[in-house]
Amino acid sequence: MLRGRRESQRLRQLDLAARLGRGQATVSKVERGARRLDVVELWAWLNALDIDFVTFNRELDQRLRANPVPDSRFRKTRHQATPKKK
């Protein structure tokens, strides 16, 4: 979604990187999914693209609900109780 929004504004990765005060490699890693953004970074990213944070997140939520991204870090696991020593 971030890459699509950048491209729709006809910005190069280098242009966005300059707006963010980051390197082009960081933009590339985020767009490829090799690096994730925390919520504050996402806010700054969207602000640099002049995109409303709330509107973007609503669309993101709709897309994720329709097509969940499998991620083993968020799977529920069963925790077995550790046997107590006597």
Side-chain angles (χ1 to χ4, degrees):
M1 286 177 62
L2 292 172
R3 182 179 67 218
R5 297 293 177 92
R6 174 184 59 77
E7 290 174 343
S8 72
Q9 295 183 27
R10 299 191 184 276
L11 292 173
R12 299 172 300 161
Q13 288 181 342
L14 193 59
D15 300 326
L16 177 57
R19 289 182 181 189
L20 292 166
R22 300 279 182 96
Q24 178 271 331
T26 300
V27 175
S28 176
K29 287 176 186 175
V30 169
E31 290 184 351
R32 287 185 285 122
R35 183 184 183 288
R36 292 183 181 219
L37 298 175
D38 67 27
V39 69
V40 175
E41 291 173 314
L42 177 60
W43 178 87
W45 202 281
L46 295 172
N47 191 47
L49 292 170
D50 197 31
I51 296 170
D52 182 68
F53 181 79
V54 173
T55 302
F56 181 88
N57 280 295
R58 282 188 185 129
E59 182 182 343
L60 177 61
D61 182 61
Q62 289 173 349
R63 287 185 181 204
L64 290 173
R65 287 177 189 275
N67 300 298
V69 178
D71 192 329
S72 61
R73 293 178 294 175
F74 300 112
R75 287 193 188 131
K76 292 181 181 178
T77 58
R78 289 187 176 178
H79 295 284
Q80 296 183 3
T82 307
K84 294 181 181 178
K85 293 182 181 181
K86 292 184 180 182

mmCIF file with all atom_site columns, all heavy atoms in Angstrom, residues 1 4 16 27 29-30 36 39-40 55-56 59 72 75 77 81:
data_model
loop_
_atom_site.group_PDB
_atom_site.id
_atom_site.type_symbol
_atom_site.label_atom_id
_atom_site.label_alt_id
_atom_site.label_comp_id
_atom_site.label_asym_id
_atom_site.label_entity_id
_atom_site.label_seq_id
_atom_site.pdbx_PDB_ins_code
_atom_site.Cartn_x
_atom_site.Cartn_y
_atom_site.Cartn_z
_atom_site.occupancy
_atom_site.B_iso_or_equiv
_atom_site.pdbx_formal_charge
_atom_site.auth_seq_id
_atom_site.auth_comp_id
_atom_site.auth_asym_id
_atom_site.auth_atom_id
_atom_site.pdbx_PDB_model_num
ATOM 1   N N   . MET A 1 1  ? 0.828  -1.196  0.000  1.00 0.00 ? 1  MET A N   1
ATOM 2   C CA  . MET A 1 1  ? 0.000  0.000   0.000  1.00 0.00 ? 1  MET A CA  1
ATOM 3   C C   . MET A 1 1  ? 0.870  1.256   0.000  1.00 0.00 ? 1  MET A C   1
ATOM 4   O O   . MET A 1 1  ? 0.564  2.218   -0.700 1.00 0.00 ? 1  MET A O   1
ATOM 5   C CB  . MET A 1 1  ? -0.917 0.025   1.221  1.00 0.00 ? 1  MET A CB  1
ATOM 6   C CG  . MET A 1 1  ? -2.091 -0.936  1.157  1.00 0.00 ? 1  MET A CG  1
ATOM 7   S SD  . MET A 1 1  ? -3.111 -0.930  2.657  1.00 0.00 ? 1  MET A SD  1
ATOM 8   C CE  . MET A 1 1  ? -3.706 0.745   2.683  1.00 0.00 ? 1  MET A CE  1
ATOM 9   N N   . GLY A 1 4  ? 2.406  1.802   -3.443 1.00 0.00 ? 4  GLY A N   1
ATOM 10  C CA  . GLY A 1 4  ? 1.376  2.258   -4.366 1.00 0.00 ? 4  GLY A CA  1
ATOM 11  C C   . GLY A 1 4  ? 1.047  3.724   -4.172 1.00 0.00 ? 4  GLY A C   1
ATOM 12  O O   . GLY A 1 4  ? 0.871  4.475   -5.148 1.00 0.00 ? 4  GLY A O   1
ATOM 13  N N   . LEU A 1 16 ? 11.018 10.350  -1.557 1.00 0.00 ? 16 LEU A N   1
ATOM 14  C CA  . LEU A 1 16 ? 10.382 10.088  -0.265 1.00 0.00 ? 16 LEU A CA  1
ATOM 15  C C   . LEU A 1 16 ? 11.425 10.038  0.840  1.00 0.00 ? 16 LEU A C   1
ATOM 16  O O   . LEU A 1 16 ? 11.216 10.584  1.928  1.00 0.00 ? 16 LEU A O   1
ATOM 17  C CB  . LEU A 1 16 ? 9.571  8.784   -0.302 1.00 0.00 ? 16 LEU A CB  1
ATOM 18  C CG  . LEU A 1 16 ? 8.922  8.371   1.007  1.00 0.00 ? 16 LEU A CG  1
ATOM 19  C CD1 . LEU A 1 16 ? 8.002  9.468   1.549  1.00 0.00 ? 16 LEU A CD1 1
ATOM 20  C CD2 . LEU A 1 16 ? 8.173  7.063   0.838  1.00 0.00 ? 16 LEU A CD2 1
ATOM 21  N N   . VAL A 1 27 ? 13.641 3.153   2.548  1.00 0.00 ? 27 VAL A N   1
ATOM 22  C CA  . VAL A 1 27 ? 12.360 3.152   1.831  1.00 0.00 ? 27 VAL A CA  1
ATOM 23  C C   . VAL A 1 27 ? 12.198 1.832   1.094  1.00 0.00 ? 27 VAL A C   1
ATOM 24  O O   . VAL A 1 27 ? 11.140 1.205   1.147  1.00 0.00 ? 27 VAL A O   1
ATOM 25  C CB  . VAL A 1 27 ? 12.262 4.360   0.861  1.00 0.00 ? 27 VAL A CB  1
ATOM 26  C CG1 . VAL A 1 27 ? 10.990 4.272   0.027  1.00 0.00 ? 27 VAL A CG1 1
ATOM 27  C CG2 . VAL A 1 27 ? 12.311 5.669   1.635  1.00 0.00 ? 27 VAL A CG2 1
ATOM 28  N N   . LYS A 1 29 ? 13.557 -1.116  1.762  1.00 0.00 ? 29 LYS A N   1
ATOM 29  C CA  . LYS A 1 29 ? 13.348 -2.220  2.704  1.00 0.00 ? 29 LYS A CA  1
ATOM 30  C C   . LYS A 1 29 ? 11.918 -2.244  3.228  1.00 0.00 ? 29 LYS A C   1
ATOM 31  O O   . LYS A 1 29 ? 11.310 -3.311  3.355  1.00 0.00 ? 29 LYS A O   1
ATOM 32  C CB  . LYS A 1 29 ? 14.331 -2.119  3.871  1.00 0.00 ? 29 LYS A CB  1
ATOM 33  C CG  . LYS A 1 29 ? 15.743 -2.481  3.490  1.00 0.00 ? 29 LYS A CG  1
ATOM 34  C CD  . LYS A 1 29 ? 16.688 -2.272  4.652  1.00 0.00 ? 29 LYS A CD  1
ATOM 35  C CE  . LYS A 1 29 ? 18.122 -2.490  4.222  1.00 0.00 ? 29 LYS A CE  1
ATOM 36  N NZ  . LYS A 1 29 ? 19.066 -2.179  5.307  1.00 0.00 ? 29 LYS A NZ  1
ATOM 37  N N   . VAL A 1 30 ? 11.372 -1.076  3.533  1.00 0.00 ? 30 VAL A N   1
ATOM 38  C CA  . VAL A 1 30 ? 9.997  -1.008  4.027  1.00 0.00 ? 30 VAL A CA  1
ATOM 39  C C   . VAL A 1 30 ? 9.036  -1.471  2.937  1.00 0.00 ? 30 VAL A C   1
ATOM 40  O O   . VAL A 1 30 ? 8.139  -2.282  3.175  1.00 0.00 ? 30 VAL A O   1
ATOM 41  C CB  . VAL A 1 30 ? 9.652  0.411   4.519  1.00 0.00 ? 30 VAL A CB  1
ATOM 42  C CG1 . VAL A 1 30 ? 8.159  0.553   4.777  1.00 0.00 ? 30 VAL A CG1 1
ATOM 43  C CG2 . VAL A 1 30 ? 10.455 0.743   5.775  1.00 0.00 ? 30 VAL A CG2 1
ATOM 44  N N   . ARG A 1 36 ? 9.835  -3.391  9.022  1.00 0.00 ? 36 ARG A N   1
ATOM 45  C CA  . ARG A 1 36 ? 8.502  -2.933  9.406  1.00 0.00 ? 36 ARG A CA  1
ATOM 46  C C   . ARG A 1 36 ? 8.598  -1.574  10.072 1.00 0.00 ? 36 ARG A C   1
ATOM 47  O O   . ARG A 1 36 ? 9.630  -1.204  10.604 1.00 0.00 ? 36 ARG A O   1
ATOM 48  C CB  . ARG A 1 36 ? 7.864  -3.929  10.373 1.00 0.00 ? 36 ARG A CB  1
ATOM 49  C CG  . ARG A 1 36 ? 7.547  -5.233  9.692  1.00 0.00 ? 36 ARG A CG  1
ATOM 50  C CD  . ARG A 1 36 ? 6.858  -6.172  10.641 1.00 0.00 ? 36 ARG A CD  1
ATOM 51  N NE  . ARG A 1 36 ? 6.596  -7.425  9.971  1.00 0.00 ? 36 ARG A NE  1
ATOM 52  C CZ  . ARG A 1 36 ? 5.504  -8.124  10.135 1.00 0.00 ? 36 ARG A CZ  1
ATOM 53  N NH1 . ARG A 1 36 ? 4.578  -7.714  10.963 1.00 0.00 ? 36 ARG A NH1 1
ATOM 54  N NH2 . ARG A 1 36 ? 5.334  -9.257  9.499  1.00 0.00 ? 36 ARG A NH2 1
ATOM 55  N N   . VAL A 1 39 ? 4.206  2.427   14.769 1.00 0.00 ? 39 VAL A N   1
ATOM 56  C CA  . VAL A 1 39 ? 3.083  3.329   14.505 1.00 0.00 ? 39 VAL A CA  1
ATOM 57  C C   . VAL A 1 39 ? 3.539  4.783   14.346 1.00 0.00 ? 39 VAL A C   1
ATOM 58  O O   . VAL A 1 39 ? 3.001  5.513   13.512 1.00 0.00 ? 39 VAL A O   1
ATOM 59  C CB  . VAL A 1 39 ? 1.983  3.185   15.591 1.00 0.00 ? 39 VAL A CB  1
ATOM 60  C CG1 . VAL A 1 39 ? 2.441  3.719   16.925 1.00 0.00 ? 39 VAL A CG1 1
ATOM 61  C CG2 . VAL A 1 39 ? 0.693  3.831   15.141 1.00 0.00 ? 39 VAL A CG2 1
ATOM 62  N N   . VAL A 1 40 ? 4.556  5.192   15.075 1.00 0.00 ? 40 VAL A N   1
ATOM 63  C CA  . VAL A 1 40 ? 5.049  6.563   14.957 1.00 0.00 ? 40 VAL A CA  1
ATOM 64  C C   . VAL A 1 40 ? 5.761  6.755   13.611 1.00 0.00 ? 40 VAL A C   1
ATOM 65  O O   . VAL A 1 40 ? 5.592  7.783   12.952 1.00 0.00 ? 40 VAL A O   1
ATOM 66  C CB  . VAL A 1 40 ? 5.979  6.921   16.138 1.00 0.00 ? 40 VAL A CB  1
ATOM 67  C CG1 . VAL A 1 40 ? 6.592  8.303   15.971 1.00 0.00 ? 40 VAL A CG1 1
ATOM 68  C CG2 . VAL A 1 40 ? 5.212  6.823   17.454 1.00 0.00 ? 40 VAL A CG2 1
ATOM 69  N N   . THR A 1 55 ? -7.572 7.467   7.730  1.00 0.00 ? 55 THR A N   1
ATOM 70  C CA  . THR A 1 55 ? -8.127 6.915   6.489  1.00 0.00 ? 55 THR A CA  1
ATOM 71  C C   . THR A 1 55 ? -7.273 5.757   5.988  1.00 0.00 ? 55 THR A C   1
ATOM 72  O O   . THR A 1 55 ? -7.798 4.711   5.597  1.00 0.00 ? 55 THR A O   1
ATOM 73  C CB  . THR A 1 55 ? -8.225 8.014   5.408  1.00 0.00 ? 55 THR A CB  1
ATOM 74  O OG1 . THR A 1 55 ? -9.033 9.074   5.909  1.00 0.00 ? 55 THR A OG1 1
ATOM 75  C CG2 . THR A 1 55 ? -8.823 7.473   4.130  1.00 0.00 ? 55 THR A CG2 1
ATOM 76  N N   . PHE A 1 56 ? -5.962 5.932   6.013  1.00 0.00 ? 56 PHE A N   1
ATOM 77  C CA  . PHE A 1 56 ? -5.054 4.872   5.572  1.00 0.00 ? 56 PHE A CA  1
ATOM 78  C C   . PHE A 1 56 ? -5.230 3.624   6.432  1.00 0.00 ? 56 PHE A C   1
ATOM 79  O O   . PHE A 1 56 ? -5.301 2.508   5.924  1.00 0.00 ? 56 PHE A O   1
ATOM 80  C CB  . PHE A 1 56 ? -3.600 5.361   5.641  1.00 0.00 ? 56 PHE A CB  1
ATOM 81  C CG  . PHE A 1 56 ? -2.595 4.339   5.184  1.00 0.00 ? 56 PHE A CG  1
ATOM 82  C CD1 . PHE A 1 56 ? -2.245 4.244   3.846  1.00 0.00 ? 56 PHE A CD1 1
ATOM 83  C CD2 . PHE A 1 56 ? -2.001 3.474   6.089  1.00 0.00 ? 56 PHE A CD2 1
ATOM 84  C CE1 . PHE A 1 56 ? -1.309 3.295   3.418  1.00 0.00 ? 56 PHE A CE1 1
ATOM 85  C CE2 . PHE A 1 56 ? -1.080 2.530   5.671  1.00 0.00 ? 56 PHE A CE2 1
ATOM 86  C CZ  . PHE A 1 56 ? -0.736 2.438   4.328  1.00 0.00 ? 56 PHE A CZ  1
ATOM 87  N N   . GLU A 1 59 ? -8.351 1.629   5.647  1.00 0.00 ? 59 GLU A N   1
ATOM 88  C CA  . GLU A 1 59 ? -8.180 0.816   4.440  1.00 0.00 ? 59 GLU A CA  1
ATOM 89  C C   . GLU A 1 59 ? -7.281 -0.385  4.725  1.00 0.00 ? 59 GLU A C   1
ATOM 90  O O   . GLU A 1 59 ? -7.562 -1.497  4.286  1.00 0.00 ? 59 GLU A O   1
ATOM 91  C CB  . GLU A 1 59 ? -7.581 1.651   3.306  1.00 0.00 ? 59 GLU A CB  1
ATOM 92  C CG  . GLU A 1 59 ? -7.418 0.863   2.023  1.00 0.00 ? 59 GLU A CG  1
ATOM 93  C CD  . GLU A 1 59 ? -6.779 1.633   0.894  1.00 0.00 ? 59 GLU A CD  1
ATOM 94  O OE1 . GLU A 1 59 ? -6.735 2.874   0.951  1.00 0.00 ? 59 GLU A OE1 1
ATOM 95  O OE2 . GLU A 1 59 ? -6.322 0.976   -0.054 1.00 0.00 ? 59 GLU A OE2 1
ATOM 96  N N   . SER A 1 72 ? 3.965  -16.202 11.946 1.00 0.00 ? 72 SER A N   1
ATOM 97  C CA  . SER A 1 72 ? 4.121  -17.138 13.065 1.00 0.00 ? 72 SER A CA  1
ATOM 98  C C   . SER A 1 72 ? 4.320  -16.426 14.399 1.00 0.00 ? 72 SER A C   1
ATOM 99  O O   . SER A 1 72 ? 4.041  -16.995 15.450 1.00 0.00 ? 72 SER A O   1
ATOM 100 C CB  . SER A 1 72 ? 5.292  -18.080 12.805 1.00 0.00 ? 72 SER A CB  1
ATOM 101 O OG  . SER A 1 72 ? 6.503  -17.341 12.690 1.00 0.00 ? 72 SER A OG  1
ATOM 102 N N   . ARG A 1 75 ? 0.809  -16.249 16.061 1.00 0.00 ? 75 ARG A N   1
ATOM 103 C CA  . ARG A 1 75 ? -0.036 -17.433 16.210 1.00 0.00 ? 75 ARG A CA  1
ATOM 104 C C   . ARG A 1 75 ? -0.222 -17.755 17.682 1.00 0.00 ? 75 ARG A C   1
ATOM 105 O O   . ARG A 1 75 ? 0.684  -17.616 18.497 1.00 0.00 ? 75 ARG A O   1
ATOM 106 C CB  . ARG A 1 75 ? 0.610  -18.640 15.519 1.00 0.00 ? 75 ARG A CB  1
ATOM 107 C CG  . ARG A 1 75 ? 0.546  -18.545 14.033 1.00 0.00 ? 75 ARG A CG  1
ATOM 108 C CD  . ARG A 1 75 ? 0.908  -19.873 13.411 1.00 0.00 ? 75 ARG A CD  1
ATOM 109 N NE  . ARG A 1 75 ? 1.012  -19.674 11.982 1.00 0.00 ? 75 ARG A NE  1
ATOM 110 C CZ  . ARG A 1 75 ? 2.018  -20.079 11.244 1.00 0.00 ? 75 ARG A CZ  1
ATOM 111 N NH1 . ARG A 1 75 ? 3.007  -20.755 11.779 1.00 0.00 ? 75 ARG A NH1 1
ATOM 112 N NH2 . ARG A 1 75 ? 2.043  -19.847 9.961  1.00 0.00 ? 75 ARG A NH2 1
ATOM 113 N N   . THR A 1 77 ? -0.323 -20.096 20.697 1.00 0.00 ? 77 THR A N   1
ATOM 114 C CA  . THR A 1 77 ? 0.335  -21.352 21.041 1.00 0.00 ? 77 THR A CA  1
ATOM 115 C C   . THR A 1 77 ? -0.188 -21.820 22.380 1.00 0.00 ? 77 THR A C   1
ATOM 116 O O   . THR A 1 77 ? -0.595 -21.021 23.220 1.00 0.00 ? 77 THR A O   1
ATOM 117 C CB  . THR A 1 77 ? 1.869  -21.196 21.121 1.00 0.00 ? 77 THR A CB  1
ATOM 118 O OG1 . THR A 1 77 ? 2.169  -20.192 22.099 1.00 0.00 ? 77 THR A OG1 1
ATOM 119 C CG2 . THR A 1 77 ? 2.462  -20.794 19.783 1.00 0.00 ? 77 THR A CG2 1
ATOM 120 N N   . ALA A 1 81 ? 1.940  -26.441 31.184 1.00 0.00 ? 81 ALA A N   1
ATOM 121 C CA  . ALA A 1 81 ? 2.461  -26.174 32.515 1.00 0.00 ? 81 ALA A CA  1
ATOM 122 C C   . ALA A 1 81 ? 3.742  -26.980 32.731 1.00 0.00 ? 81 ALA A C   1
ATOM 123 O O   . ALA A 1 81 ? 3.856  -28.122 32.335 1.00 0.00 ? 81 ALA A O   1
ATOM 124 C CB  . ALA A 1 81 ? 1.434  -26.532 33.569 1.00 0.00 ? 81 ALA A CB  1
#
